[in-house]
Coordinates of all heavy atoms in Angstrom, one line a residue:
W256 N -13.9 13.4 -1.4 CA -14.5 12.3 -2.1 C -15.0 11.1 -1.1 O -16.0 10.7 -1.1 CB -13.7 11.8 -3.2 CG -14.3 10.8 -4.2 CD1 -15.5 10.4 -4.3 CD2 -13.5 10.2 -5.2 NE1 -15.7 9.5 -5.3 CE2 -14.5 9.4 -5.9 CE3 -12.1 10.1 -5.7 CZ2 -14.1 8.5 -7.0 CZ3 -11.9 9.4 -6.8 CH2 -12.7 8.6 -7.4
F257 N -13.9 10.7 -0.4 CA -14.2 9.6 0.7 C -15.2 10.0 1.7 O -15.9 9.2 2.2 CB -12.9 9.1 1.3 CG -12.2 8.0 0.5 CD1 -11.3 8.3 -0.6 CD2 -12.5 6.6 0.7 CE1 -10.8 7.3 -1.3 CE2 -11.9 5.7 0.0 CZ -11.0 5.9 -1.0
R258 N -15.1 11.4 2.1 CA -16.1 11.8 3.1 C -17.5 11.9 2.6 O -18.5 11.5 3.4 CB -15.6 13.1 3.6 CG -16.5 13.6 4.9 CD -15.9 14.8 5.5 NE -14.5 14.6 6.0 CZ -13.6 15.5 6.1 NH1 -13.8 16.7 5.6 NH2 -12.4 15.3 6.5
H259 N -17.7 12.3 1.5 CA -19.1 12.8 1.0 C -19.7 11.6 0.0 O -20.9 11.4 0.1 CB -19.1 14.0 0.3 CG -18.8 15.2 1.2 ND1 -19.5 15.6 2.3 CD2 -17.6 16.0 1.3 CE1 -19.0 16.5 3.0 NE2 -17.7 16.7 2.4
A260 N -18.9 11.0 -0.9 CA -19.4 10.0 -1.7 C -18.3 8.9 -1.9 O -17.8 8.8 -2.9 CB -19.8 10.6 -3.0
P261 N -18.1 8.1 -0.9 CA -16.9 7.2 -0.9 C -17.0 6.1 -2.1 O -18.0 5.6 -2.3 CB -17.1 6.4 0.4 CG -18.0 7.1 1.3 CD -18.9 8.0 0.4
P262 N -16.0 6.2 -2.9 CA -15.9 5.2 -4.0 C -15.8 3.7 -3.4 O -15.5 3.5 -2.2 CB -14.6 5.5 -4.7 CG -13.8 6.2 -3.7 CD -14.6 6.9 -2.7
S263 N -16.0 2.8 -4.3 CA -16.0 1.4 -3.8 C -15.3 0.5 -4.7 O -15.0 0.9 -5.9 CB -17.4 0.8 -3.5 OG -18.0 0.9 -4.8
G264 N -14.8 -0.6 -4.3 CA -14.2 -1.6 -5.2 C -12.8 -1.1 -5.5 O -12.1 -0.4 -4.9
A265 N -12.4 -1.5 -6.8 CA -11.1 -1.0 -7.4 C -10.9 0.5 -7.4 O -9.8 1.0 -7.2 CB -10.9 -1.6 -8.8
L266 N -12.0 1.3 -7.7 CA -12.0 2.7 -7.7 C -11.5 3.2 -6.4 O -10.8 4.3 -6.4 CB -13.3 3.3 -8.1 CG -13.3 4.8 -8.3 CD1 -12.3 5.2 -9.4 CD2 -14.7 5.2 -8.7
A267 N -12.0 2.7 -5.3 CA -11.5 3.2 -3.9 C -9.9 3.0 -3.8 O -9.3 3.8 -3.2 CB -12.3 2.3 -2.9
Y268 N -9.5 1.9 -4.3 CA -8.0 1.7 -4.2 C -7.2 2.7 -5.0 O -6.2 3.2 -4.7 CB -7.6 0.2 -4.7 CG -8.1 -0.8 -3.5 CD1 -9.3 -1.4 -3.6 CD2 -7.2 -1.1 -2.5 CE1 -9.6 -2.3 -2.5 CE2 -7.5 -2.0 -1.5 CZ -8.8 -2.6 -1.5 OH -9.1 -3.5 -0.5
V269 N -7.7 3.0 -6.2 CA -7.1 3.8 -7.1 C -7.1 5.3 -6.5 O -6.1 6.0 -6.4 CB -7.7 3.8 -8.5 CG1 -7.2 5.0 -9.4 CG2 -7.4 2.6 -9.2
A270 N -8.2 5.6 -6.0 CA -8.5 7.0 -5.4 C -7.6 7.1 -4.1 O -7.0 8.2 -4.0 CB -10.0 7.2 -4.9
A271 N -7.5 6.2 -3.3 CA -6.7 6.2 -2.1 C -5.2 6.4 -2.4 O -4.4 7.0 -1.7 CB -6.9 5.0 -1.2
I272 N -4.7 5.8 -3.6 CA -3.4 5.9 -3.9 C -2.9 7.2 -4.6 O -1.8 7.6 -4.7 CB -3.0 4.7 -4.9 CG1 -3.0 3.5 -4.0 CG2 -1.7 4.8 -5.5 CD1 -2.8 2.1 -4.8
L273 N -4.0 7.9 -5.2 CA -3.7 9.1 -5.9 C -2.8 10.2 -5.1 O -1.9 10.7 -5.8 CB -5.0 9.8 -6.3 CG -5.7 9.2 -7.5 CD1 -7.1 9.9 -7.8 CD2 -4.9 9.2 -8.7
P274 N -3.0 10.5 -3.9 CA -2.1 11.4 -3.2 C -0.7 10.9 -3.1 O 0.2 11.7 -2.9 CB -2.8 11.6 -1.8 CG -4.2 11.2 -1.9 CD -4.2 10.1 -3.1
A275 N -0.5 9.6 -3.3 CA 0.8 9.1 -3.2 C 1.7 9.5 -4.4 O 2.9 9.5 -4.4 CB 0.9 7.6 -2.9
L276 N 1.0 9.6 -5.5 CA 1.7 9.8 -6.7 C 2.5 11.1 -6.8 O 3.7 11.0 -7.2 CB 0.8 9.7 -8.0 CG 0.0 8.4 -8.1 CD1 -1.0 8.4 -9.3 CD2 1.1 7.3 -8.3
P277 N 2.0 12.2 -6.4 CA 2.8 13.4 -6.3 C 4.0 13.3 -5.3 O 5.1 13.8 -5.6 CB 1.9 14.6 -5.9 CG 0.5 14.1 -6.3 CD 0.6 12.5 -6.1
I278 N 3.8 12.6 -4.2 CA 4.9 12.4 -3.3 C 6.0 11.7 -4.0 O 7.2 12.0 -3.9 CB 4.4 11.8 -2.0 CG1 3.4 12.7 -1.2 CG2 5.6 11.3 -1.1 CD1 4.0 14.0 -0.8
A279 N 5.5 10.6 -4.7 CA 6.6 9.7 -5.4 C 7.3 10.6 -6.5 O 8.6 10.6 -6.7 CB 5.9 8.5 -6.0
F280 N 6.7 11.6 -7.0 CA 7.2 12.4 -8.1 C 8.2 13.4 -7.5 O 9.2 13.8 -8.1 CB 6.2 13.2 -8.8 CG 6.7 13.9 -10.0 CD1 7.2 13.1 -11.2 CD2 6.9 15.2 -10.1 CE1 7.7 13.6 -12.3 CE2 7.4 15.8 -11.3 CZ 7.9 15.0 -12.4
V281 N 8.0 13.8 -6.1 CA 9.0 14.5 -5.5 C 10.4 14.0 -5.5 O 11.4 14.6 -5.6 CB 8.5 15.0 -4.0 CG1 9.6 15.6 -3.1 CG2 7.3 15.7 -4.0
F282 N 10.4 12.6 -5.4 CA 11.8 12.0 -5.4 C 12.4 12.2 -6.8 O 13.6 12.2 -6.9 CB 11.6 10.5 -5.0 CG 11.1 10.3 -3.6 CD1 9.9 10.0 -3.3 CD2 12.1 10.8 -2.5 CE1 9.4 9.9 -1.9 CE2 11.6 10.7 -1.1 CZ 10.4 10.3 -0.9
V283 N 11.5 12.0 -7.8 CA 12.0 12.2 -9.2 C 12.5 13.7 -9.4 O 13.6 14.0 -10.0 CB 10.9 12.0 -10.2 CG1 11.3 12.4 -11.7 CG2 10.4 10.5 -10.1
V284 N 11.8 14.7 -8.9 CA 12.2 16.1 -8.8 C 13.6 16.3 -8.2 O 14.5 17.0 -8.7 CB 11.1 17.0 -8.2 CG1 11.7 18.4 -8.0 CG2 10.0 17.0 -9.1
I285 N 13.7 15.6 -7.0 CA 15.1 15.7 -6.3 C 16.2 15.1 -7.1 O 17.3 15.6 -7.3 CB 14.9 15.0 -4.9 CG1 14.1 15.9 -4.0 CG2 16.4 14.9 -4.2 CD1 13.6 15.2 -2.7
G286 N 15.9 13.9 -7.8 CA 16.9 13.3 -8.6 C 17.2 14.1 -9.8 O 18.5 14.1 -10.1
R287 N 16.2 14.7 -10.4 CA 16.6 15.5 -11.5 C 17.5 16.7 -11.1 O 18.4 17.1 -11.8 CB 15.4 16.2 -12.2 CG 14.6 15.1 -13.0 CD 13.5 15.6 -13.8 NE 14.1 16.4 -14.9 CZ 13.4 17.0 -15.8 NH1 12.0 16.8 -15.8 NH2 13.9 17.8 -16.7
L288 N 17.2 17.3 -9.9 CA 18.1 18.4 -9.4 C 19.6 17.8 -9.2 O 20.5 18.6 -9.7 CB 17.6 18.9 -8.1 CG 18.6 19.9 -7.4 CD1 18.7 21.2 -8.3 CD2 18.0 20.3 -6.0
L289 N 19.8 16.6 -8.8 CA 21.1 16.2 -8.6 C 21.8 15.9 -9.8 O 23.0 16.2 -10.0 CB 20.9 14.8 -7.8 CG 20.7 14.8 -6.3 CD1 20.4 13.4 -5.8 CD2 21.8 15.6 -5.5
V290 N 21.0 15.4 -10.9 CA 21.6 15.4 -12.3 C 22.0 16.7 -12.9 O 23.0 16.9 -13.5 CB 20.7 14.6 -13.2 CG1 21.1 14.6 -14.5 CG2 20.4 13.1 -12.6
E291 N 21.2 17.7 -12.7 CA 21.3 19.0 -13.3 C 22.3 19.8 -12.5 O 22.8 20.9 -13.2 CB 20.0 19.7 -13.4 CG 18.9 19.1 -14.3 CD 17.6 19.8 -14.4 OE1 17.5 20.7 -13.6 OE2 16.8 19.3 -15.1
M292 N 22.6 19.6 -11.3 CA 23.4 20.5 -10.4 C 24.9 20.6 -11.1 O 25.5 19.5 -11.5 CB 23.6 20.1 -9.0 CG 22.3 20.3 -8.2 SD 22.5 19.9 -6.5 CE 23.2 21.4 -5.8
R293 N 25.3 21.7 -11.3 CA 26.6 21.9 -11.9 C 27.8 22.0 -10.9 O 29.0 21.7 -11.1 CB 26.7 23.2 -12.8 CG 25.7 22.9 -14.0 CD 25.5 24.3 -14.8 NE 24.8 25.2 -14.0 CZ 24.7 26.6 -14.2 NH1 25.4 27.1 -15.3 NH2 24.0 27.3 -13.5
D294 N 27.4 22.6 -9.7 CA 28.4 22.6 -8.7 C 28.6 21.3 -8.0 O 27.6 20.9 -7.1 CB 27.9 23.7 -7.7 CG 29.0 24.1 -6.5 OD1 29.7 23.1 -6.2 OD2 29.0 25.2 -6.4
E295 N 29.7 20.7 -8.1 CA 29.9 19.3 -7.5 C 29.9 19.3 -6.0 O 29.5 18.4 -5.3 CB 31.1 18.7 -8.2 CG 31.1 18.4 -9.5 CD 32.3 17.8 -10.1 OE1 33.2 17.3 -9.3 OE2 32.5 17.7 -11.4
Y296 N 30.5 20.5 -5.5 CA 30.5 20.5 -4.0 C 29.1 20.6 -3.3 O 28.8 19.9 -2.4 CB 31.4 21.7 -3.6 CG 31.4 22.0 -2.1 CD1 32.0 21.1 -1.3 CD2 30.7 23.0 -1.5 CE1 32.2 21.3 0.1 CE2 30.7 23.2 -0.1 CZ 31.5 22.3 0.7 OH 31.5 22.5 2.1
L297 N 28.3 21.4 -4.0 CA 26.8 21.4 -3.5 C 26.1 20.2 -3.7 O 25.3 19.8 -2.8 CB 26.2 22.8 -4.2 CG 26.6 24.1 -3.8 CD1 25.8 25.1 -4.6 CD2 26.6 24.4 -2.3
R298 N 26.5 19.5 -4.8 CA 25.8 18.3 -5.1 C 26.2 17.2 -4.0 O 25.4 16.5 -3.5 CB 26.2 17.7 -6.5 CG 25.4 16.4 -6.8 CD 25.9 15.7 -8.1 NE 25.8 16.6 -9.2 CZ 26.8 16.9 -10.1 NH1 28.0 16.3 -9.9 NH2 26.7 17.8 -11.1
A299 N 27.5 17.2 -3.7 CA 28.0 16.3 -2.7 C 27.4 16.5 -1.4 O 27.0 15.6 -0.6 CB 29.5 16.4 -2.6
Q300 N 27.2 17.8 -1.0 CA 26.5 18.2 0.2 C 25.1 17.8 0.2 O 24.6 17.1 1.3 CB 26.5 19.7 0.4 CG 27.9 20.2 0.9 CD 27.8 21.7 1.2 OE1 27.1 22.4 0.5 NE2 28.7 22.1 2.1
M301 N 24.3 17.9 -0.9 CA 23.0 17.4 -0.9 C 22.9 15.9 -0.9 O 22.1 15.4 -0.1 CB 22.3 17.9 -2.3 CG 20.8 17.6 -2.4 SD 20.1 18.4 -3.7 CE 18.5 17.8 -3.5
V302 N 23.8 15.2 -1.6 CA 23.8 13.7 -1.5 C 24.1 13.3 0.0 O 23.5 12.3 0.4 CB 24.8 13.2 -2.4 CG1 25.1 11.7 -2.1 CG2 24.4 13.3 -3.8
H303 N 25.0 14.1 0.6 CA 25.2 13.7 2.1 C 23.9 13.8 2.9 O 23.6 13.0 3.6 CB 26.3 14.6 2.5 CG 26.6 14.4 4.0 ND1 26.0 15.1 5.0 CD2 27.5 13.4 4.6 CE1 26.4 14.5 6.2 NE2 27.3 13.6 5.9
D304 N 23.2 14.9 2.7 CA 22.0 15.2 3.5 C 21.0 14.1 3.1 O 20.3 13.6 4.0 CB 21.4 16.5 3.1 CG 22.2 17.8 3.5 OD1 23.2 17.5 4.3 OD2 22.0 18.8 3.0
L305 N 20.9 13.7 1.9 CA 20.0 12.6 1.4 C 20.2 11.3 2.1 O 19.4 10.5 2.6 CB 19.9 12.4 -0.1 CG 19.3 13.7 -0.7 CD1 19.6 13.6 -2.3 CD2 17.9 14.0 -0.4
L306 N 21.6 10.9 2.1 CA 22.0 9.8 2.9 C 21.7 9.8 4.3 O 21.2 8.8 5.0 CB 23.5 9.5 2.5 CG 23.8 9.0 1.1 CD1 25.4 9.1 1.0 CD2 23.3 7.8 0.8
V307 N 22.0 10.9 5.0 CA 21.6 11.0 6.4 C 20.2 10.9 6.6 O 19.7 10.2 7.5 CB 22.3 12.4 7.0 CG1 21.7 12.7 8.3 CG2 23.7 12.4 7.0
A308 N 19.4 11.6 5.7 CA 18.0 11.5 5.9 C 17.4 10.0 5.8 O 16.6 9.5 6.5 CB 17.2 12.4 4.9
T309 N 18.0 9.4 4.7 CA 17.6 7.9 4.4 C 18.0 7.0 5.6 O 17.2 6.2 6.1 CB 18.2 7.5 3.2 OG1 17.8 8.4 2.1 CG2 17.9 6.0 2.8
G310 N 19.2 7.2 6.2 CA 19.7 6.4 7.3 C 18.8 6.7 8.5 O 18.5 5.7 9.2
A311 N 18.6 7.9 8.8 CA 17.8 8.2 10.0 C 16.3 7.7 9.9 O 15.8 7.1 10.8 CB 17.8 9.8 10.1
T312 N 15.8 7.8 8.7 CA 14.4 7.2 8.5 C 14.3 5.8 8.6 O 13.4 5.3 9.2 CB 13.9 7.7 7.1 OG1 13.9 9.1 7.0 CG2 12.5 7.2 6.8
L313 N 15.3 5.1 8.0 CA 15.4 3.6 8.1 C 15.6 3.2 9.4 O 14.9 2.2 9.9 CB 16.4 3.1 7.2 CG 16.1 3.1 5.6 CD1 17.3 2.7 4.8 CD2 14.9 2.3 5.2
S314 N 16.5 3.8 10.2 CA 16.7 3.6 11.6 C 15.6 3.7 12.5 O 15.1 2.9 13.3 CB 17.9 4.4 12.2 OG 19.0 4.1 11.4
I315 N 14.8 4.7 12.4 CA 13.7 5.1 13.1 C 12.5 4.2 12.8 O 11.8 3.6 13.8 CB 13.2 6.6 13.0 CG1 14.2 7.5 13.6 CG2 11.8 6.9 13.6 CD1 14.1 9.0 13.3
T316 N 12.2 4.0 11.6 CA 11.2 3.1 11.3 C 11.4 1.6 11.6 O 10.5 0.9 11.9 CB 10.8 3.1 9.7 OG1 11.9 2.9 8.9 CG2 10.3 4.5 9.4

Side-chain angles (χ1 to χ4, degrees):
W256 188 7
F257 271 86
R258 184 174 300 148
H259 297 292
S263 61
L266 184 59
Y268 286 90
V269 171
I272 290 172
L273 283 177
L276 298 177
I278 295 298
F280 193 71
V281 168
F282 297 107
V283 173
V284 169
I285 291 169
R287 286 194 63 182
L288 174 61
L289 286 173
V290 169
E291 293 175 358
M292 285 183 93
R293 295 174 289 165
D294 188 320
E295 292 180 19
Y296 178 72
L297 292 178
R298 182 186 309 129
Q300 287 183 326
M301 186 171 178
V302 168
H303 179 267
D304 295 346
L305 297 173
L306 288 171
V307 168
T309 301
T312 301
L313 290 172
S314 298
I315 291 167
T316 56

